[in-house]
Amino acid sequence: MAQTEKKAGLLRRTSSSKKPLKEKVVLMYDEIFAKEDPTKSNPRFWDELFLMKVNLEYLEGKLESLDGDEVMKIKDNINSLFHHCVQALGEEHQIKVVNALQTLCALFRGVHQKNKSATGFDIINMLMGFDKAELRMKELMESLDSLLCGDGSESLKSLCLKLLLCLVTVTDNISQNTILEYVMINSIFEAILQILSDVSSRAQHGYDAVVLLALLVNYRKYESVNPYIVKLSIVDDEPTLDGMGMVIHHALAEYNRQYRDKEEENQGGFFSTLTSMVGSMFIADADQKLSIQTNEAILLALYEAVHLNRNFITVLAQSHPEIDIATTPAVPVPASPTTPLGTTPPSLDMMNNPELPLDPNLQTSNLLITFLKYSSIVMQDTKDEHRLNSARLCLIILTCIAEDQYADAFLHDDNMNFRVNLHRMPMRHRKKAADKSIPSRPLVCAVLDLMVEFVVTHMMKEFPMDLYVRCVQIIHKLICYQKKCRVRMHYTWRDLWSALINLLKFLLSNETILLAKHNIFQLALQVVNLFNMFITYGDTFLPTPSSYDELYYEIIRMHQVFDNLYCMVLRVSTNAGQWKEPASKVTHALVNVRAIINHFNPKIESYAAVNHISQLSEDQVLEVVRSNYDTLTLKLQDGLDQFERYSEQPREAGFFKELVRSISLNVRKNVSLSTMSQDVLLKEFSSIS
Amino acid sequence: MGDTELELSPTQLEELQKSPSASSTSTTSSLSLPSSPSSGPRPLTSSSPSTSEGLPTSSPPLDVISEGVGELSLVIDTEVAKKACQEVLQKVKFLKVDGEVSSASSEPVLVNGTAHPESTDGGKPPKISEEEVEPVKNVRRRQKNNSSKQSWLLRLFESKLFDISMAISYLYNSKEPGVQAYIGNRLFSFRNEDVDFYLPQLLNMYIHMDEDVGDAIKPYVVHRCRQSINFSLQCAWLLGAYSSDMHISTQRHSRGTKLRKLILSDELKPSSQRIRREVPQPPPSCPPPLHHGQGMSEHSLSPSKRTHQRSKSDATVSISLSSNLKRTASNPKVETSQDEDLSSSSDSLELEAGTPVRLTPQREFIKSLMGIGKRLATLPTKEQKTQRLISELSLLNHKLPARVWLPTAAFDHHVVRVPHTQAVVLNSKDKAPYLIYVEVLECENFETSSVPVRIPETRIRSTRSVENLPDCGITPDQRASSFSTVPNYDNDDEAWSVDDIGELQVELPEIHTNSCDNISQFSVDSITSQESKEPIFIAAGDIRRRLSEQLAHTPTTFKRDPEDPSAVALKEPWQEKVRRIREGSPYGHLPNWRLLSVIVKCGDDLRQELLAYQVLKQLQIIWEQERVPLWIKPYKILVISSDSGMIEPVVNAVSIHQVKKQSQLSLLDYFRQEHGNYNTEEFLTAQRNFVQSCAGYCIICYLLQVKDRHNGNILLDSEGHIIHIDFGFILSSSPRNLGFETSAFKLTSEFVDVMGGLDRDMFNYYKMLMLQGLIAARKHMEKVIQIVEIMQQGSQLPCFHGSSTIRNLKERFHMNLTEEQLQVLVEQMVDGSMRSITTKLYDGFQYLTNGIM
């Protein structure tokens, strides 16, 4: 796709410039593509070349148009072009540096475009020559490192990052990009960190730096030792981690804000059609400013940080002023096409300012809250492939968070109360809750709310089984923490119970359709075991004795669902077949729920009979429950409070490979856009020099 | 002992003035110095020889001298003062004095005569002054006729009875410059802590009284400022606060402001770095994690290297040799700084101390705390304030540990962390005072001990990382064994998570399998739990019962109330809070970990509070001395400016208002709930505590006329004591709106109920205690009056409103009454307070009936 774009650009250019005279730089490129050594005719050839404005399209096009043999013939010239590019990076003259960076960009891309089938080694040979490759790349990486870390021009740094992003994304599959092996050896990790730790550079290049880091971490993640993984996992410098958090926070908050604006816009005239609008919004809008893919890159960065670096967990709780709730439409500088990557977060003033602003209307927020809100938006609609992936990644991140002791500690911290306005899918049968009414609660309540919301809103034909499993696992992990640490949350558990019961009901009624694709027994088992947690360990984490009564009430009220479930699993487990074993597990798990139902139902019936009441009120049922506990015996089940820890490999490896591929494609597309706009950059420097 | 000190302290002062050539004599005189507990004179003498050696340090003072003519005057001035004292002194004790001392004291006199003019150009230690030359002449003139009159005084001054209180009193009352100058010199001989108590008085005199007093005080203040950062800052803050009542135009040029500027300019450094060198090197005495801090702090300059080092996990190191570590630079540095001689170690110290950041970290710390208070005040709701407070503090945490400390604490320490989620906003209408808890590490000396190294919040990694292993110079075997000495806090599978393995894989693949065992700990657990195949049955009733029992088991906690967030935090027993915070802190495992708390007040004038603290403290000392078992709790006050400061919170105490609101019980019933039934020992102890504290505070309320005594301003601690807080309305000031707080003190029927009721034993004991307390206080009235009187100088505080404040205060001590009459007075006051109860009840009744009608 990118190729066609370039072709088009090329055509346009040639057609527009009808003059017979070719640009000087083009002539010089032609000299390189001739077999002769260009310095023969002009000893100062290379010096002059980098003073010329780069014609990316021509250079790239030329490289593309050559076939393998032709390339081998001019290999020496290309090698020396590369070599002189790298040398030019050390020049004092900034214009030369800019031109060299862009030329390198074109080189990397042009060579890859052409040689899609060629192996990485061929490419390295073509660009640098086998014997020199290691040295050249070392020089290149060192130059880039010093450019990024020095106090030179910001545009130059930005261009360096572009070049790196370009280099990282030249192949669809990042792990097949052999040149990156040299980037592994000559690490630019420290430079990335430095960008993130400095307030002003973070504001300007933070996004690119974070995306670059996320991509580099994913290079041959599973096959070999990636030094970026190792290094990222041990960063403990708070300002740096915080800076990274800020960049992510900002990108997500910006997305949230834009979504919110859009939503309000749509609410204006046709409130009734909102449902369909929201659903189609992201697909319909072709020129969407916020592309979901770019956010995937940020999400991936968040995931890697949370997953790899334990210290990053503290950043999640680090408070920032809320951005997306800002009363004034906070400087909505739309990401103009000229902005590099089309994604550099606007209104970065927030990040420039280390002091929290003094606005009484401003709610304090933190990365976790912003992430939860973002997740609530993304999870609303999972039909689209990208959004499904985003939602999956969100749930994976939440899984990692729910497993972390420190994160759990602040999620449950009674002193850290926040109002979290989650986005709820507008549905016909319920009203949108007024934002103001949300009480200030510990953060775990928001996480649970989000999970409940997901459970309630995704019972559909295209059943996202995988997401459901993750969702229930997250709830389970949180409850395990509460049980272990005896934390009693004042959460309306009833919402969760009824959502879970409804989920079981949905599984039952769509048994045949679902069974064709999924193992519904696994999910059913997890749900039933959640109930078992409440039933047998409720004393350790429920907030009040009456909440335990309510649990029983809810089970008794919905006993039909459990009865049906039992019938179903019994039926399946007695038949031989692939579901025999998983179904029988569910039958065992149901023992306590059934005991409760069988114990209390006759008692309630006789109570009704004795008191001549046809329909018992809730209080009356609770009364019966309370007075009949002592005659009920429950079975303690094993391993209820144990869970399998999240591990990326091997289960998630495929998902991440695909994810990284899609991010690579997207980043590449955006980088190519940006390099065209480097004319602006050139002008800046030509006016300086 | 008093004699020798008397002799020597002027001598030393002089040594300070002398040219470098006199350094040899000064060292001898310092040898003859009695080893007094106060560190006062010692660094002074030791400082002079070092100035002579260290050329660079003597140069800045020279600049100052060249600029100001006044330099000369101060030098003369103290010398004259000293001479005056000594002349008289020698007359009086000519025969008694033994040879050694007299020679020591006479020698300087000789030197003075000659060295006088030259002394200006002879590279003085940094003594700066702005005074004119003129007063010196006056002094000289007066000094002649003074001498004879002073002989009696001098006898007193020499006597052992002469304490700091008397010194302050004479300094304040005497009009004789000689006496003032003498006392100025005598200040050096008192213990630092004793003088510190009167620091507000000293500085207030310095600011507001005539120049002679100021001149007498200044050398001492300057000397102490050189010694201690803490003292410097205290002085600067107090000087600022007490100057604030002056008119702005005079304030700018006042002495107090100048001295404040001088202190804050940080020119009053110790005369030389040598002082620091003489302090025993901190590393050996400090616990291991502390001394590794040195290496880390240097190391942190290069993040890339640091990460390199970090990547070596403990296990790696235990196998790889120490040569591996040597490359990473940080550890060898630590070692050399321990082993090598003074010169190299001082280099590393100078890195920290030599730069002009002596006062800066602490000032910044205080400033940011105050800034938080100011910003909180703009937020409308308690909830927002609390959220903002927590987030602001979490940002503050990033800058810790640092060479900062809480001035209200009684021991030297460095602040390492603010457990931000524990902070609470206190109840206040328009201001935003807040309470924070502060984790500190106790240390030998906060100026010289190295700042602890930062431990990340998620501490598990760091407790196991290379840097925190006790020593790096040991063999691998030893190091492996030293693992056990590192506290192992992570008994769950968190210790080695996936990333650890990845990291280990890189460096030492064979470790991988080992750590794998760790990670799968939980699965081992689950296996063992499955071993018992027997099904276990539990009764649902038991679960339900356990739930209600566990919830009922914690009756003494208060419910969380968004409108009163502090109630819960304050109710939690201190020990429990300490334990809880310690558990959650990455520094908690260090043996010198302590928890402190402080209330930060922004927008409030704490000068009256400080005055009240001083009076309370004085009375407490008096009662202790006179063995009257009254109980009061003076809490420390730090005045930072005329509208900000810090308060040391009273731990384990909640306000009576909170008690009543939360428990919905009468005070007596609450006592029974907390301490048991009437005749239990616990209850009786609590009751006695209540009576003793109540009597103490009644006297204080009467003497100081403490007003605005509502239940929010009276605390009840976990032992039954009451504690009055908020001394915003004392002496001549009272809340405008109501004049009906006319009774001598607050005594409600609820209080009487707790005491067992009228005319019961405990109630009589209460009255008896008050009588005894008054008698004791009366005996030492001067000490109390003096504190208040001096502070009245130049003050616009509302408590000094009107002209009769001091007279009225004196009258309330009733010096003219016999003890019988005093007893009658106590009865009358108690009666009066009781009557005011009945009137109040009557008022309430009236209101109700009227309302109903």
Side-chain angles (χ1 to χ4, degrees), chain A residues 8 86 94 119 145 148 171 204 230 275 314 329 364 391 418 462 468 473 494 500 503 513 530 557 582 600 639 647 656:
Chain A
V86 173
Q94 291 203 307
T119 62
D145 187 87
L148 285 172
T171 55
Q204 296 185 58
V230 179
T275 319
T314 54
T364 28
F418 292 95
E462 285 297 311
Y468 267 102
Q473 278 173 347
R494 201 171 240 204
L500 291 175
L503 175 61
I513 308 164
L530 275 185
R557 190 171 72 90
F600 286 105
S647 74
F656 280 103

Side-chain angles (χ1 to χ4, degrees), chain A residues 444-453 475 478 482 491 493:
Chain A
V444 71
C445 295
V447 179
L448 288 169
D449 276 350
L450 182 65
M451 295 301 104
V452 169
E453 177 70 13
I475 298 170
L478 291 173
Q482 294 174 8
Y491 182 74
W493 291 111

Side-chain angles (χ1 to χ4, degrees), chain A residues 230 236 238 310-311 318-319 360 406 413 415 417 419 486 488 539 549 630 632 634 636 643 645, chain B residues 310 383-384 387 390-391 394 421 454 457-458 493-494 506 536 538 540 544-546 550 560:
Chain A
V230 179
D236 63 351
E238 256 121 358
R310 192 181 290 128
N311 300 311
Q318 206 65 254
S319 298
Y406 183 85
D413 194 324
N415 287 344
N417 292 320
R419 292 175 204 277
R486 312 234 150 188
R488 297 176 192 280
D539 55 330
D549 304 339
D630 282 330
L632 173 65
L634 300 168
L636 193 66
F643 54 81
R645 291 189 68 89
Chain B
R310 287 251 154 170
E383 185 190 306
Q384 278 174 305
Q387 278 184 2
I390 290 173
S391 62
S394 74
T421 61
R454 181 174 174 82
E457 286 286 305
T458 46
D493 42 292
E494 279 289 301
V506 179
I536 306 163
I538 37 171
R544 172 73 163 63
R545 217 167 293 124
R546 271 205 300 276
Q550 274 165 10
R560 190 161 294 275

Side-chain angles (χ1 to χ4, degrees), chain A residues 273-335:
Chain A
T273 55
L274 187 69
T275 319
S276 57
M277 276 302 294
V278 172
S280 60
M281 183 159 41
F282 287 87
I283 311 150
D285 248 330
D287 57 343
Q288 257 300 333
K289 268 174 271 168
L290 49 150
S291 126
I292 201 80
Q293 285 92 333
T294 51
N295 276 301
E296 272 176 352
I298 277 294
L299 269 190
L300 179 68
L302 176 61
Y303 165 75
E304 297 294 359
V306 167
H307 178 236
L308 291 175
N309 188 305
R310 192 181 290 128
N311 300 311
F312 190 80
I313 292 288
T314 54
V315 174
L316 289 175
Q318 206 65 254
S319 298
H320 306 295
E322 179 122 32
I323 304 170
D324 57 352
I325 229 174
T327 41
T328 51
V331 216
V333 186

Side-chain angles (χ1 to χ4, degrees), chain B residues 584-595:
Chain B
S585 165
Y587 301 92
H589 62 284
L590 297 172
N592 51 345
W593 185 94
R594 307 279 178 275
L595 188 71

